[in-house]
Amino acid sequence: MEHVTFKHKRTTLERAEKFISSHHFTDINLRSRLYPKKHPLKSILNYPAPGRISYQQAITQQFKPTQVGHSFGRTWATHWFKLELEIPTDWAGQEVHLIWNSQSEALIWKDGQPVQGLSGENNRGLSDENRISFPLQQPGTTCQVLYIEMACNGLLGCGLNGMINPPDFKKCFTLQQAELAVFDRQVYKLMIDVEILHDMAKELSEDSERGYQALYTVNKIINIIEVGESSSYNRAKKIADMFFNQKNGDSQHTIYAMGHSHIDTVIFTSFSYRYRLVISTSFSYRYRSVIFTSFSYRYRLVNSTSFSYRYKLVIFTSFSYRYRLVIFTSISLRYRLVDGNIPSGEAFVRQFLYGQRYFLKEFGIVCKEFWLPDTFGYSAQLPQIMEQCGISRFLTQKLSWNIFNKFPHHTFWWNGIDGSRVLTHFPPGDSYHMVSKVKELIYTLKNYRDKGRSGRSCYLYGYGDGGNGPTEEMVNKLERMENVDGLPRVKMATPNQYFSDVEKEDIDDLCTWSGELYLEMHNGTYTTHAEVKKQNRKCEVLLHDVEFLATMATVSGDYDYPRKELDRLWKLLLLNQFHDVLPGSSIGMVYEDAHRYYRGQYSSKLDRNSRANLNCDILLSVFVNTLGWTRCEIISLPSSLSSPLRKKQKAPSYGLSALDSPSELPSPVTYLFLQGSYIYLENSLLSAILDSNGRVTSLTTADSSRNLINGEHPANQIVLFDDIPLYWDAWDVMDYHLETRKVVDTVNQSAEILDKGPLRVTIKVCLRISAVSSLEQYIILDAGCPYIKFINKVSWHENRKFLKVEFPTSIHTNHVSFDIQFGFLQRPNNYNTSWDSARFEVCGHKWADISDYNSGLAVLNDCKYGYSAVDGIIRLSLLRSPKAPDENADMGEHEFTYAIMPHQGILQSSGVIQQSYNLNSPLLVQTGDISPTSYFSINTPQIILDTVKLSEDSKKKIVLRLYESFGGNTTATISTPLKNLTVQRYVGYSYSF
């Protein structure tokens, strides 16, 4: 007689868990029958490659026998294996898999083509046999030969004693498993059912009727199954089907499941090591797409397949057009998985430009979605740039990492600084590497914060943070949970399907978020690896200048516009703007590559070639102004004297000028020693008092007596902070670092006057930062210049310290303005709310300005991005010293410039915006004999002509990219001497621009 027991939930759950466990009772549970028959390989041969070689090169090498248990390395090495397989004849008609586990990344090659990627890592402790197994096709023969390319590194590199630590260069990888096995798909499907039922019983609320139904169902299935007896499997399957065939109601929330591979191209491995992952990930999905008709896959196609044309061909020629267009869904259009804060406006435009042109060329389609799941915050200017580039939809999930405030929406409108808006979605599962667990589906629904406004959300499944993407098991589970009572509906979908369905709802009911999407983590990345950020700024300016010069040389003469070389240089720059490279959060090997790419930009001959083709004979000095306003600056010319010859030189807007003839000297800059070792500086626009440490105690404009510096605290105060985050070393600076402020006031050399006027006064001071670090500073005031410039040379050898310079002001105001891409953003000058205080470190570009109605003070810089501003004090972040993942980050010598600019009136009338450009783009000196020429000028400072270039598709079209810089609207007139022009005003996107 059958005994009916009272069911204890805990014991029943644990019984179900261990029934499919890979750790407990593995000799008798259901999982033990997943591979009921196994057979050794006929032979395993190994060739230790000298580097990353091609398949054609590998197969011609001398392979030697090896076996399971042998180790291979060391880190970053490549080993090729030749496998001879002989399938037993009595296995005919059964599904046979190759099992390969080398504890590392690996790629299977067959008949000259990569066919699937493998990974032997135990990713998050989950059982993933299909990441170490490859289903063999049996074309009428039992003998096969396969090659495996083994990479001696893990999915996320080889951190020594921790993922984010510098690499362990001595690590070896052991071949743990290499054999043939029969795969019992009936057992596999039952294991999926048992897992889903177990998870529903565990995760649904205690008062859920459906949860208890799942509990009793899974218990009944285990009672029925006789391990190894297939007829019992059929009976168990019928019981499972009865449960899973009970459907959801029409009002249930729908989860749009999207296979996703977040390939961190470089973070814990270098650029050159990642092509294997791109290929292995891609070919894993070719296999998935053949099996699952509903499968679609999100993949950063543009940036990943641009590694090498050869590897791009390998991928593309193996996919039919249908798979290229559908399986690799057309999203993620930027050229790189770009940082969201630091690139310039023009760099963002080029990301979209190259991405859109790529998809047009390869697929004939235009992308609507911007897919950026992982970057460290999102500029407030992005909605306008997206809209201008044809993008109306945006998806990310990174703000789920916030540590102080939970973002209030998941589906909403995101407004930019000009009012442009894009439909935005944050997948409420708070992850881009879900693994098809019941717990994730339930959390997605519970966590969704826009219930009632929208009944849909996205779910990104597949291994991310390194790649490899979805597994067969993940797809099977989602299909089993597609429409099951007790869970949200699951719909395999593309981003276009999701956003289109949302747009069919009453989207006017969605809430709006205006301004930046600030990530309350990883704000140390505005400063880490300072040299990379410096080279980024310099190269952005260099490419701006070269494009202008090349454009004018082309339209003015016989110069052939170097489009291919410019594309190459831009793509190198965009490559380095990847969201772990430019932020400074990659291993040291990455920066060896990055600096090599920067050197490649500087070594290009384009700059001097384009200048030399502006119809110039090599006779006299010519000055080139690559900005959109007339400038008058002190310049240095080569001289036979011990110091360079200085002159005040005027140059027209976007134009050329010859060396000015000697004329009446401008109003001089003077200095005076005051009592108590203070120095008084003055020119026609400002005056300042400095102490012997180089600190500014007084700063006034010429037409005001108001001291803009706080009377109790000097400006240009160098300060040092402890910088020990909770975990993410290179990424994070924590709020408590502000409690460790130490003033740097030990002087190695007091203020010394070097240049004594009349065109320039230079003061030199030397400070001792610590026993191992020092700063040499040159304080410069030029005649007629509205700012004081500070050129800094730092020898930096610290351990987790943060160097900043602070400027306490006497200005009381509620907001501080920060330069961002094509505009500026205002942030609070207080910590009134938790949202305000979380912004203790923020990103800005060339300047930050604090102003009231009467006057203000701006801090300018030539290569810095980290700021803080509160209670009238602006701090500029200079250098950090994290030790992971690059233990040598920022160690060594640095040179950078910042400046302080007092002004009368509000920001918009101050000239701060133009002066920040001047600081970053000094007049260029060339030799030649020309008449002064202004190619373009604008009649209002409110409009910035940011870019002058030729069209992507025509040498007869000049593209002018302009933006309104004051935060308003106006009309403007552009003047040019160029003849026979047809002018077209274009607002919107064009892939010729």
Side-chain angles (χ1 to χ4, degrees):
M1 184 176 66
E2 183 177 349
H3 177 62
V4 178
T5 62
F6 179 84
K7 294 310 300 171
H8 292 279
K9 187 172 183 180
R10 175 187 167 184
T11 57
T12 305
L13 287 174
E14 190 166 340
R15 180 192 189 197
E17 178 186 341
K18 292 182 176 176
F19 190 60
I20 57 173
S21 171
S22 58
H23 303 291
H24 303 282
F25 307 109
T26 54
D27 59 336
I28 198 171
N29 67 5
L30 184 61
R31 182 175 293 276
S32 70
R33 306 304 297 170
L34 184 61
Y35 294 104
K37 301 176 184 178
K38 295 183 180 180
H39 187 75
L41 304 184
K42 183 177 180 181
S43 69
I44 307 173
L45 304 174
N46 167 247
Y47 169 67
R52 290 167 303 285
I53 61 176
S54 69
Y55 170 84
Q56 289 75 15
Q57 291 173 304
I59 62 175
T60 63
Q61 304 303 316
Q62 186 68 39
F63 285 76
K64 295 182 179 180
T66 189
Q67 62 186 18
V68 173
H70 283 190
S71 295
F72 304 90
R74 296 183 177 178
T75 306
W76 312 128
T78 298
H79 285 260
W80 282 83
F81 295 86
K82 181 180 180 180
L83 309 183
E84 295 182 346
L85 319 178
E86 188 170 347
I87 303 172
T89 56
D90 61 350
W91 288 10
Q94 301 181 75
E95 185 173 346
V96 180
H97 286 196
L98 167 68
I99 309 297
W100 177 274
N101 185 356
S102 56
Q103 296 185 300
S104 70
E105 295 294 292
L107 179 61
I108 300 176
W109 293 77
K110 182 178 181 180
D111 300 328
Q113 293 291 326
V115 290
Q116 185 174 314
L118 301 173
S119 179
E121 293 184 284
N122 187 12
N123 201 316
R124 286 176 290 276
L126 300 173
S127 57
D128 288 305
E129 280 76 8
N130 50 354
R131 286 168 61 80
I132 61 171
S133 69
F134 172 62
L136 297 172
Q137 297 177 353
Q138 301 179 51
T141 177
T142 59
C143 296
Q144 298 185 32
V145 174
L146 297 176
Y147 287 87
I148 290 183
E149 181 184 5
M150 172 186 169
C152 291
N153 55 267
L155 188 64
L156 287 172
C158 296
L160 179 61
N161 299 322
M163 180 184 71
I164 72 168
N165 290 338
D168 177 1
F169 290 99
K170 299 180 179 180
K171 186 173 182 178
C172 291
F173 297 82
T174 300
L175 180 57
Q176 289 189 331
Q177 199 172 5
E179 60 188 348
L180 300 177
V182 170
F183 180 76
D184 191 327
R185 189 159 291 276
Q186 194 177 21
V187 169
Y188 168 75
K189 290 181 178 180
L190 277 174
M191 286 171 55
I192 288 177
D193 286 348
V194 169
E195 180 181 335
I196 293 173
L197 289 165
H198 165 273
D199 289 354
M200 288 183 67
K202 180 179 179 181
E203 301 299 337
L204 291 174
S205 64
E206 191 67 28
D207 57 358
S208 167
E209 171 72 14
R210 191 61 169 161
Y212 279 97
Q213 290 175 1
L215 183 74
Y216 277 81
T217 300
V218 73
N219 188 69
K220 192 176 296 185
I221 287 173
I222 298 172
N223 287 338
I224 287 176
I225 290 177
E226 297 178 27
V227 174
E229 177 56 54
S230 61
S231 62
S232 69
Y233 300 162
N234 294 329
R235 295 195 301 273
K237 177 72 163 49
K238 290 180 181 179
I239 294 173
D241 287 345
M242 290 176 60
F243 180 91
F244 286 107
N245 287 337
Q246 295 176 4
K247 306 302 183 184
N248 261 314
D250 292 339
S251 64
Q252 183 60 264
H253 185 92
T254 301
I255 289 175
Y256 290 65
M258 302 173 190
H260 178 247
S261 177
H262 174 68
I263 299 181
D264 266 324
T265 314
V266 282
I267 175 171
F268 301 124
T269 59
S270 68
F271 288 103
S272 57
Y273 283 89
R274 299 310 278 175
Y275 83 87
R276 270 186 298 235
L277 180 57
V278 174
I279 295 177
S280 66
T281 299
S282 303
F283 282 90
S284 294
Y285 301 119
R286 183 179 67 167
Y287 169 69
R288 304 282 179 265
S289 65
V290 171
I291 296 176
F292 303 109
T293 56
S294 62
F295 178 75
S296 65
Y297 164 51
R298 255 55 45 205
Y299 178 61
R300 251 141 309 289
L301 195 62
V302 177
N303 62 62
S304 296
T305 56
S306 296
F307 268 117
S308 159
Y309 183 70
R310 176 164 64 95
Y311 297 122
K312 175 182 169 182
L313 285 180
V314 169
I315 294 174
F316 265 41
T317 56
S318 299
F319 284 85
S320 70
Y321 183 78
R322 171 183 172 269
Y323 291 138
R324 279 188 273 160
L325 185 59
V326 179
I327 303 306
F328 294 97
T329 306
S330 55
I331 58 164
S332 185
L333 63 123
R334 69 262 177 260
Y335 181 72
R336 299 294 306 166
L337 187 57
V338 62
D339 177 78
N341 286 304
I342 297 175
S344 67
E346 186 62 25
F348 270 130
V349 170
R350 298 307 173 95
Q351 293 277 359
F352 289 114
L353 173 70
Y354 286 120
Q356 290 285 35
R357 287 177 66 85
Y358 183 91
F359 276 105
L360 276 173
K361 177 184 176 182
E362 297 293 345
F363 307 118
I365 56 177
V366 175
C367 295
K368 297 179 182 180
E369 295 90 12
F370 182 25
W371 184 279
L372 190 58
D374 183 18
T375 197
F376 310 145
Y378 305 85
S379 167
Q381 182 58 281
L382 273 173
Q384 182 178 188
I385 295 176
M386 281 188 259
E387 187 177 84
Q388 293 283 320
C389 294
I391 305 302
S392 57
R393 302 157 170 178
F394 175 56
L395 183 144
T396 185
Q397 64 80 46
K398 196 65 177 185
L399 264 66
S400 66
W401 286 44
N402 278 5
I403 58 176
F404 299 108
N405 300 281
K406 187 173 179 63
F407 196 80
H409 304 294
H410 287 105
T411 306
F412 61 100
W413 291 107
W414 180 23
N415 278 14
I417 59 174
D418 74 322
S420 299
R421 72 176 190 172
V422 291
L423 181 59
T424 300
H425 181 66
F426 294 174
D430 293 348
S431 175
Y432 48 71
H433 45 65
M434 309 274 219
V435 292
S436 302
K437 291 285 190 179
V438 168
K439 181 178 182 179
E440 297 166 346
L441 299 182
I442 294 174
Y443 178 78
T444 292
L445 175 57
K446 286 184 176 180
N447 191 46
Y448 187 56
R449 308 200 79 178
D450 292 284
K451 297 181 182 75
R453 299 187 181 96
S454 175
R456 298 167 171 84
S457 62
C458 290
Y459 175 93
L460 312 184
Y461 68 97
Y463 288 113
D465 275 338
N468 275 317
T471 66
E472 179 183 350
E473 183 177 331
M474 294 178 195
V475 179
N476 285 138
K477 289 177 184 176
L478 289 174
E479 289 186 332
R480 192 60 159 157
M481 295 185 286
E482 187 174 45
N483 190 3
V484 177
D485 183 24
L487 296 177
R489 289 178 180 268
V490 177
K491 178 179 180 180
M492 299 291 198
T494 66
N496 180 62
Q497 290 171 326
Y498 165 74
F499 280 108
S500 295
D501 286 351
V502 171
E503 289 165 350
K504 293 174 186 176
E505 298 177 345
D506 188 2
I507 55 177
D508 291 333
D509 286 343
L510 297 178
C511 295
T512 296
W513 182 273
S514 296
E516 68 182 326
L517 294 174
Y518 180 84
L519 177 64
E520 295 174 357
M521 279 191 76
H522 294 2
N523 38 20
T525 60
Y526 313 146
T527 306
T528 307
H529 266 287
E531 186 63 22
V532 167
K533 293 171 172 63
K534 178 179 179 178
Q535 297 306 323
N536 176 75
R537 179 83 63 86
K538 300 303 181 187
C539 287
E540 287 176 340
V541 171
L542 176 65
L543 284 171
H544 165 274
D545 293 352
V546 168
E547 283 191 323
F548 162 65
L549 294 168
T551 299
M552 293 302 99
T554 300
V555 301
S556 302
D558 297 327
Y559 185 66
D560 187 16
Y561 192 75
R563 188 176 312 282
K564 288 185 178 179
E565 178 66 0
L566 282 170
D567 281 347
R568 184 184 74 85
L569 296 177
W570 265 110
K571 289 176 181 179
L572 282 176
L573 178 62
L574 301 183
L575 185 70
N576 278 346
Q577 290 181 345
F578 179 76
H579 79 280
D580 282 304
V581 179
L582 184 54
S585 51
S586 295
I587 62 172
M589 293 172 61
V590 170
Y591 294 103
E592 295 174 10
D593 292 337
H595 288 297
R596 177 164 51 85
Y597 298 149
Y598 287 132
R599 288 193 297 271
Q601 291 177 291
Y602 284 120
S603 64
S604 173
K605 298 179 180 179
L606 284 188
D607 186 28
R608 58 179 179 270
N609 285 351
S610 53
R611 288 196 230 175
N613 279 275
L614 288 170
N615 295 328
C616 299
D617 295 323
I618 309 301
L619 295 175
L620 300 172
S621 292
V622 175
F623 300 91
V624 184
N625 178 12
T626 59
L627 299 176
W629 46 87
T630 299
R631 300 163 65 182
C632 189
E633 298 177 3
I634 304 300
I635 50 91
S636 297
L637 296 174
S639 170
S640 59
L641 303 176
S642 58
S643 60
L645 174 66
R646 292 194 178 93
K647 282 187 59 64
K648 190 163 189 178
Q649 179 65 38
K650 189 175 183 179
S653 167
Y654 272 111
L656 317 172
S657 66
L659 184 66
D660 287 346
S661 301
S663 59
E664 182 179 347
L665 288 175
S667 298
V669 56
T670 61
Y671 71 95
L672 180 67
F673 285 106
L674 301 178
Q675 186 176 4
S677 301
Y678 287 92
I679 301 173
Y680 177 79
L681 294 179
E682 182 180 36
N683 67 10
S684 60
L685 299 177
L686 64 86
S687 62
I689 298 175
L690 286 72
D691 66 14
S692 59
N693 288 16
R695 298 176 299 188
V696 181
T697 61
S698 176
L699 182 65
T700 63
T701 58
D703 49 2
S704 172
S705 60
R706 180 184 181 183
N707 181 11
L708 297 173
I709 304 301
N710 185 303
E712 298 180 0
H713 303 284
N716 191 39
Q717 174 66 68
I718 304 296
V719 287
L720 191 67
F721 298 85
D722 293 341
D723 188 15
I724 305 173
L726 297 176
Y727 176 71
W728 298 99
D729 205 350
W731 294 260
D732 285 351
V733 57
M734 306 309 299
D735 53 343
Y736 51 75
H737 89 282
L738 295 169
E739 303 171 32
T740 66
R741 175 179 177 271
K742 299 178 181 66
V743 172
V744 176
D745 56 5
T746 302
V747 179
N748 288 338
Q749 178 184 322
S750 296
E752 174 190 5
I753 306 293
L754 299 182
D755 297 312
K756 302 181 179 181
L759 294 181
R760 174 172 293 171
V761 170
T762 302
I763 301 172
K764 177 182 178 181
V765 296
C766 297
L767 301 178
R768 180 183 185 273
I769 298 173
S770 73
V772 293
S773 300
S774 60
L775 181 148
E776 185 178 290
Q777 188 173 79
Y778 297 85
I779 304 168
I780 299 172
L781 180 61
D782 284 344
C785 183
Y787 54 76
I788 301 174
K789 184 165 57 176
F790 303 82
I791 299 176
N792 302 271
K793 298 180 179 180
V794 181
S795 181
W796 183 248
H797 303 280
E798 299 298 319
N799 181 1
R800 295 183 175 89
K801 299 292 183 181
F802 201 163
L803 190 71
K804 300 186 181 186
V805 59
E806 61 187 24
F807 303 92
T809 73
S810 61
I811 299 166
H812 178 74
T813 184
N814 289 326
H815 292 89
V816 178
S817 301
F818 295 86
D819 178 43
I820 62 171
Q821 302 85 354
F822 296 147
F824 68 88
L825 178 68
Q826 289 189 321
R827 297 182 175 109
N829 183 33
N830 53 60
Y831 289 164
N832 281 352
T833 71
S834 61
W835 294 87
D836 300 333
S837 63
R839 288 171 167 82
F840 57 84
E841 184 81 7
V842 297
C843 187
H845 284 208
K846 298 182 293 297
W847 56 266
D849 181 88
I850 182 168
S851 300
D852 57 23
Y853 180 76
N854 295 311
S855 53
L857 183 143
V859 177
L860 320 178
N861 76 83
D862 73 341
C863 60
K864 299 301 175 185
Y865 296 92
Y867 294 87
S868 63
V870 65
D871 297 335
I873 302 172
I874 295 178
R875 292 188 180 95
L876 180 66
S877 298
L878 304 177
L879 294 169
R880 296 186 71 221
S881 51
K883 299 304 173 186
D886 180 8
E887 59 191 341
N888 295 311
D890 285 315
M891 296 298 97
E893 309 305 308
H894 297 267
E895 183 171 342
F896 50 86
T897 299
Y898 56 80
I900 52 174
M901 177 179 167
H903 61 82
Q904 287 296 294
I906 60 175
L907 166 67
Q908 285 83 344
S909 61
S910 67
V912 164
I913 297 171
Q914 285 77 10
Q915 291 300 330
S916 71
Y917 275 94
N918 293 350
L919 179 68
N920 282 268
S921 301
L923 292 176
L924 304 176
V925 182
Q926 177 66 28
T927 52
D929 184 13
I930 63 167
S931 299
T933 302
S934 175
Y935 289 102
F936 300 100
S937 61
I938 302 177
N939 67 337
T940 171
Q942 190 170 348
I943 300 299
I944 303 292
L945 174 53
D946 185 83
T947 301
V948 178
K949 64 184 289 288
L950 282 191
S951 164
E952 295 295 310
D953 300 317
S954 173
K955 292 184 178 180
K956 296 182 180 181
K957 295 180 181 179
I958 300 174
V959 174
L960 306 181
R961 200 165 351 264
L962 308 96
Y963 72 93
E964 191 283 319
S965 65
F966 287 1
N969 60 77
T970 188
T971 58
T973 300
I974 304 173
S975 300
T976 179
L978 300 178
K979 305 299 183 183
N980 302 318
L981 294 179
T982 299
V983 179
Q984 179 183 7
R985 182 185 177 196
Y986 199 91
V987 179
Y989 64 88
S990 170
Y991 312 121
S992 297
F993 288 8

